[in-house]
Amino acid sequence: MTPTLATLRASALTFGGYDQPDRSWSALTLATAPGLDLALPAHRDAAHVWLNAWGCRIRKPRDGEPRVFDEAVAAWWERWHTGLPAREVWLAELSDEDAAALGECFADLAATRAAPTRTLGPTAASKLLFALRPNALMPWDNLIAQRLHGARDGAAYTRHLTTGRTWARAVLAESGLAEAVLVEQLGRPGGSLAKVLDEYCYLVYTRDWVAAP
């Protein structure tokens, strides 16, 4: 279901009733200003807390236990941080080459250890990538991935980004506005279409929401 400007306005208004994600996001951005940097231990801790607030359930190590999430995410960051888009890049600006490379980046992050008995997995990986580049990278959950793309692997993540890019370009063309102005009009000042489109996907594919005619 391709969102129009009208359905995005309706979904943004509906999602505004869910305040827990925004509170946890505000806490993360405050703790990691001016931007999340996984080279920093304090930022990795803040990301761990935020992922759990977004439902990822990654157990914190007890005293004396290995810091699996911290060490594995730091190693992933060392491998991939130079391949991420710049912070000022928007979803609509991603190239096909960007999206393909990000599929590989996502697959490696999803396979990264998060605890002794689990990997980070595709949902948490997509959310962490969003936290790193909230202007450009859409997260997903299991239902969004399966119902929209039929899979949760790197190729599906690439399709998620290119689908979101197509949607973003269409609503920008429909509105005739710059992205920052449009998202402010949608009630998300300082936000991005990547986030607004994720809210739309959550309502439609996870909650079976239908916009009123």
Side-chain angles (χ1 to χ4, degrees):
M1 183 186 305
T2 300
T4 64
L5 187 54
T7 53
L8 275 192
R9 291 188 190 280
S11 67
L13 183 62
T14 299
F15 193 87
Y18 301 97
D19 61 355
Q20 176 60 34
D22 283 343
R23 287 203 306 269
S24 62
W25 177 251
S26 296
L28 176 67
T29 56
L30 181 64
T32 59
L36 180 60
D37 180 353
L38 295 178
L40 303 175
H43 285 210
R44 296 195 295 272
D45 286 343
H48 194 163
V49 170
W50 175 75
L51 285 170
N52 284 342
W54 272 36
C56 294
R57 299 180 182 178
I58 301 167
R59 188 172 72 82
K60 298 284 284 186
R62 300 184 179 93
D63 289 345
E65 290 185 337
R67 295 177 59 82
V68 176
F69 173 90
D70 183 79
E71 294 173 3
V73 166
W76 172 86
W77 177 253
E78 180 64 25
R79 292 193 298 274
W80 286 100
H81 74 278
T82 58
L84 295 177
R87 295 185 189 277
E88 62 271 15
V89 172
W90 301 91
L91 175 61
E93 298 171 337
L94 290 179
S95 68
D96 288 343
E97 292 77 15
D98 292 333
L102 286 162
E104 297 178 17
C105 172
F106 161 84
D108 189 40
L109 183 57
T112 294
R113 303 304 302 178
T117 59
R118 63 162 287 186
T119 60
L120 199 62
T123 296
S126 75
K127 292 177 178 180
L128 186 53
L129 284 169
F130 164 75
L132 287 163
R133 295 295 185 266
N135 288 340
L137 304 184
M138 291 170 59
W140 63 17
D141 62 20
N142 180 49
L143 284 173
I144 294 169
Q146 294 291 355
R147 296 176 72 176
L148 192 53
H149 306 294
R152 301 191 300 164
D153 58 11
Y157 182 75
T158 292
R159 291 196 298 275
H160 195 54
L161 295 181
T162 55
T163 298
R165 180 188 64 188
T166 298
W167 292 349
R169 289 175 177 176
V171 296
L172 286 168
E174 184 183 355
S175 71
L177 300 172
E179 180 161 342
V181 177
L182 176 57
V183 295
E184 182 171 5
Q185 290 193 2
L186 292 171
R188 300 292 184 272
S192 67
L193 279 174
K195 177 63 166 62
V196 174
L197 288 167
D198 172 60
E199 295 171 4
Y200 167 83
C201 287
Y202 172 76
L203 290 172
V204 171
Y205 297 104
T206 306
R207 300 296 296 268
D208 291 318
W209 172 84
V210 177

